[in-house]
Amino acid sequence: MTKINTSLHSSRRKSRKAHHSAPSSVRRVIMSAPLSKELREKHNVRAIPIRKDDEVIITRGSNKGREGKVTSVYRLKYVIHVERVVREKSSGASVPLGINASNVVITKLKIDKDREDIIARIAKGREIAKSKKSTSA
């Protein structure tokens, strides 16, 4: 059987190295989060790279069900920080808890011109794929 994508490696060691030494531009795409059902219907997009000021609900872990605005996207650590999701240190200071982008659902997008273009591009690709599927079936 031939490889589907020749630019990716199937070796565990090389895949891990590629993941952990990925540049910021690639990390942005890796840190995509699914959209809520309403947004998915509205924009015809399943997931989008997460961004500061998006509003999210945490769907996994001990903070499941908590919602808030994304305060920072920490690409170096592959985590996001959500408003009011903090932990108290022994000194009394509060530190934001890092949450994996795949463990949240985006409920409200911060939309500007660039984000609109990205959504339109993804939706267009989905339409083309859907039309190809219906013509071949």
Side-chain angles (χ1 to χ4, degrees):
M1 194 172 128
T2 58
K3 284 176 82 169
I4 295 166
N5 187 348
T6 52
S7 65
L8 296 176
H9 215 280
S10 54
S11 158
R12 178 169 197 256
R13 174 167 60 163
K14 291 180 182 179
S15 296
R16 284 175 55 82
K17 185 179 193 318
H19 179 79
H20 292 289
S21 60
S24 182
S25 57
V26 174
R27 286 175 187 244
R28 175 181 163 273
V29 178
I30 293 171
M31 293 178 69
S32 291
L35 298 182
S36 66
K37 289 226 169 36
E38 298 80 46
L39 287 175
R40 207 183 300 170
E41 292 297 315
K42 182 180 173 189
H43 298 296
N44 192 22
V45 172
R46 187 171 184 85
I48 195 165
I50 203 153
R51 177 189 168 166
K52 186 179 174 178
D53 294 332
D54 283 347
E55 287 180 25
V56 297
I57 292 181
I58 302 171
T59 56
R60 293 279 184 278
S62 55
N63 291 300
K64 183 177 180 175
R66 307 256 312 258
E67 48 190 302
K69 194 180 269 191
V70 175
T71 54
S72 73
V73 178
Y74 207 144
R75 288 187 192 164
L76 187 70
K77 293 184 177 179
Y78 283 109
V79 294
I80 62 169
H81 294 143
V82 181
E83 209 172 50
R84 297 185 305 276
V85 180
V86 291
R87 180 176 182 271
E88 291 294 315
K89 283 172 56 169
S90 56
S91 64
S94 60
V95 218
L97 270 179
I99 291 146
N100 196 309
S102 65
N103 295 340
V104 299
V105 167
I106 300 174
T107 54
K108 189 162 180 262
L109 290 166
K110 179 181 191 240
I111 292 190
D112 58 9
K113 187 76 182 88
D114 292 331
R115 208 90 187 275
E116 271 177 12
D117 294 345
I118 292 166
I119 290 169
R121 190 174 67 224
I122 297 170
K124 185 177 162 195
R126 282 178 66 112
E127 289 298 325
I128 292 168
K130 194 181 277 185
S131 65
K132 275 186 184 174
K133 193 178 269 185
S134 62
T135 55
S136 64

